[in-house]
Amino acid sequence: MSWNEPGGDKKDPWSGRNEKDNPPDLDEVIRSLQDKLGGIFGGGKRGDSSNGPSMQSIGFLAAGALVLWGLSGFYTVDEGTRGIVTRFGAYVATTQPGLNWHIPAPIEQVQVINVEQQRFIEVGYRSGGGQAMGSVPKEAMMLTKDENIVDVRLAVQYQVKDAKDYAFNVLDPASTLKQVTESVQRGVIGRSDMDFVLTEGRSEIVAAIKTEIQSVMDAYKTGILITSVNLQDAQPPEQVQGSFEDAIKAREDKQRLINEAEAYSNDVVPKARGAASRIVQESEAYKEKVIAQANGDVSRFSQLLAEYKKAPAVTKQRMYIEAMEQVLGKSNNVLVDVKSGGSIMYLPLDKLVNKATEDAVSAPVPTHEPVVAPAPQAKEIRNDIRASSRERDVRGR
């Protein structure tokens, strides 16, 4: 017969409880639990007031909890970072890399700041996570000294120099740095001309911007160190790009022509200077030659004067003959002294004279002496002519 059939004992075969029994009372369950906990802490049953929780057990529990709370204050600071310890929000200390301890929360808390991480901000553009750069006209458009507008895009890299100042002195260091950069950039660009900004002045402008940004951030005590300032791009606005490119081409053509003119000047001027130097040297040589000839003439005249004083007649005759030889030696005329008329034998005098002249010209002449037709040859020709005339006179007689 089953346990729940009529006539049975109506008991639960598993618990042995009568089916007609009521479910256990909740208060009874709670009292039973309290009695068990009291037994654990050294007390008796609930109704026994003489046996409460022992002070020794409570002390052990409190000590264990205190130890666990103290161990929770250990923390590790990684290399390249600094730990900022605050007590109830006030700065206490800056901890170095390694294992450190602070009073656990809620009394003290630690904020770890990476001081070696390279952070950067973008002014005038947004890189968009590897996509093409997009200009931000509100930040990029700037007015130059000559009242032109340029589109300037700047990237600033920085790192934390002082963790305490970085954490407490400025609410948002990155936003502050961006505003300072934009302000300094507008000031530096406003002191420069457009051509200077777009061409040779880039490095100088970047250096000036970096110096001024660091000065302002140090004055604010932000704890930020500017590591580099990069001028990503500097160009005129898109609306005038075509005209600006034409101006650049014209400037390049101007520079090219200037370079060509300088090259031509460098080629011609040295040659002209060399020719001038050669002419000057030739003039100096001619001067020395003339002076030497004059000195020689003076010396010869002095010697001739001494001889003239000794024998005036002989000296006059010799000077006359030498002068006539010089004059007649350059002439093609032939004088024949014929005392009495008669038939003249034809002689090729012109050919003889020309031949003698050609031989004199073709003969090598030293460069330091003037070229003069040799008088002795002409003199021999005249002697031959006189001899032939005498023979003709003898035959005529």
Side-chain angles (χ1 to χ4, degrees), residues 29-60:
V29 174
I30 293 174
R31 284 194 299 269
S32 176
L33 181 59
Q34 290 178 350
D35 294 339
K36 292 179 179 180
L37 290 176
I40 294 175
F41 291 106
K45 293 184 179 180
R46 182 175 176 271
D48 190 1
S49 60
S50 61
N51 295 325
S54 66
M55 296 301 297
Q56 183 178 3
S57 299
I58 295 175
F60 286 152

Side-chain angles (χ1 to χ4, degrees), residues 5-237:
E5 289 182 358
D9 53 3
K10 304 295 184 183
K11 291 184 179 180
D12 188 353
W14 292 277
S15 62
R17 188 177 65 247
N18 194 333
E19 184 182 7
K20 292 181 179 181
D21 294 342
N22 293 327
D25 189 5
L26 182 59
D27 293 336
E28 183 179 356
V29 174
I30 293 174
R31 284 194 299 269
S32 176
L33 181 59
Q34 290 178 350
D35 294 339
K36 292 179 179 180
L37 290 176
I40 294 175
F41 291 106
K45 293 184 179 180
R46 182 175 176 271
D48 190 1
S49 60
S50 61
N51 295 325
S54 66
M55 296 301 297
Q56 183 178 3
S57 299
I58 295 175
F60 286 152
L61 288 176
L66 184 62
V67 170
L68 293 176
W69 180 71
L71 291 176
S72 65
F74 285 98
Y75 65 97
T76 302
V77 178
D78 295 333
E79 186 67 28
T81 60
R82 299 293 184 271
I84 304 300
V85 182
T86 57
R87 184 176 301 162
F88 299 113
Y91 172 78
V92 175
T94 300
T95 56
Q96 300 297 321
L99 181 63
N100 300 275
W101 183 85
H102 70 96
I103 301 176
I107 298 176
E108 291 184 351
Q109 293 182 351
V110 177
Q111 179 184 0
V112 179
I113 298 177
N114 193 331
V115 297
E116 293 185 358
Q117 179 184 0
Q118 290 291 335
R119 301 173 173 86
F120 75 97
I121 59 171
E122 300 169 340
V123 180
Y125 76 102
R126 299 295 181 270
S127 58
Q131 300 177 0
M133 290 191 304
S135 177
V136 182
K138 183 179 179 181
E139 300 176 359
M141 296 300 177
M142 299 184 183
L143 189 65
T144 61
K145 181 180 179 180
D146 51 356
E147 298 182 356
N148 289 313
I149 298 176
V150 293
D151 186 343
V152 181
R153 305 174 186 181
L154 204 68
V156 179
Q157 291 185 348
Y158 67 97
Q159 64 184 25
V160 178
K161 179 173 62 175
D162 191 321
K164 174 188 174 183
D165 294 341
Y166 183 81
F168 292 101
N169 290 346
V170 181
L171 179 62
D172 189 353
S175 178
T176 302
L177 176 60
K178 186 173 183 179
Q179 295 176 9
V180 170
T181 301
E182 186 174 351
S183 176
V184 170
Q185 183 180 359
R186 291 185 183 279
V188 174
I189 297 298
R191 296 193 299 266
S192 306
D193 294 334
M194 182 176 183
D195 291 339
F196 183 75
V197 174
L198 300 180
T199 55
E200 73 273 8
R202 291 187 173 224
S203 58
E204 185 174 343
I205 288 175
V206 167
I209 291 175
K210 179 180 178 181
T211 302
E212 294 191 18
I213 291 175
Q214 187 65 63
S215 177
V216 174
M217 298 306 288
D218 291 342
Y220 290 166
K221 296 182 179 180
T222 58
I224 289 178
L225 175 64
I226 306 299
T227 57
S228 67
V229 176
N230 299 319
L231 186 60
Q232 300 293 339
D233 195 8
Q235 59 185 2

